[in-house]
Amino acid sequence: MDVVEHVFRLESTWDGGRNDSGKIKCGQLNTAVSIPKEMNGPGIGTNPDEMLLGAAATCYIISLATMLEYSKIKASLSLQSEGIVHTSNNIYTYKKIIHNITIFLQEDLDKNVRIAEKLAYKAEQSCMISKALRGNVEIIINCSIKK
């Protein structure tokens, strides 16, 4: 089996100390970054917590969409995700990500419901970002299917 290596490059700059801000650029991503206000930062642009949640959510929804397509199930998806960060003694730990996925099936078949629900959980197991987080961040899937 041939191995293909994909390389992603990110450039970043930072102006000052902890409560200042920086910029990142990686492909189509080009934004300001800082510590969020919730963590006593300036809240400029995005932050690592949002970006980790965004990476996990987009990887998950793309994985699920791909699996549904390969299974010939036509559906639309809606995802709301939450990232839970615990703080103890000024140490921040990303503990949990909760994905609340709604699958809107175009065909009202019991078989499609069963397959779609199974794939909602399987997509989290195969998502590259979920795999990278496994053992460190708990990922929970709540699935709702609408016909």
Side-chain angles (χ1 to χ4, degrees):
M1 178 197 274
D2 291 330
V3 174
V4 177
E5 184 175 86
H6 302 277
V7 178
F8 299 91
R9 290 186 173 80
L10 182 135
E11 297 175 26
S12 62
T13 59
W14 191 265
D15 300 320
R18 180 195 187 279
N19 285 323
D20 291 301
S21 65
K23 293 186 176 156
I24 60 169
K25 183 175 183 181
C26 181
Q28 298 299 310
L29 177 63
N30 185 0
T31 189
V33 293
S34 74
I35 296 173
K37 286 185 180 193
E38 297 85 357
M39 296 177 178
N40 299 315
I44 297 169
T46 191
N47 58 69
D49 308 283
E50 290 173 344
M51 292 192 316
L52 181 62
L53 182 60
T58 55
C59 184
Y60 172 70
I61 201 166
I62 290 169
S63 296
L64 178 54
T66 301
M67 290 177 168
L68 288 166
E69 180 181 319
Y70 288 167
S71 297
K72 300 194 181 334
I73 295 176
K74 295 183 180 185
S76 298
L77 306 174
S78 175
L79 178 64
Q80 289 78 43
S81 298
E82 298 176 58
I84 312 298
V85 176
H86 289 183
T87 306
S88 177
N89 298 322
N90 287 325
I91 297 173
Y92 298 92
T93 305
Y94 220 111
K95 296 302 274 186
K96 185 186 312 186
I97 292 174
I98 304 167
H99 293 310
N100 297 298
I101 185 76
T102 304
I103 303 171
F104 299 92
L105 295 174
Q106 291 183 14
E107 296 178 308
D108 186 9
L109 303 172
D110 288 340
K111 177 183 98 172
N112 287 358
V113 172
R114 286 191 309 275
I115 293 170
E117 186 171 39
K118 180 179 175 183
L119 293 178
Y121 296 98
K122 187 176 180 182
E124 186 277 320
Q125 295 296 313
S126 10
C127 164
M128 175 177 63
I129 302 300
S130 293
K131 287 179 185 178
L133 296 173
R134 195 159 292 130
N136 293 305
V137 178
E138 179 185 9
I139 300 178
I140 297 170
I141 304 297
N142 296 317
C143 178
S144 172
I145 298 181
K146 310 248 179 182
K147 303 176 192 179

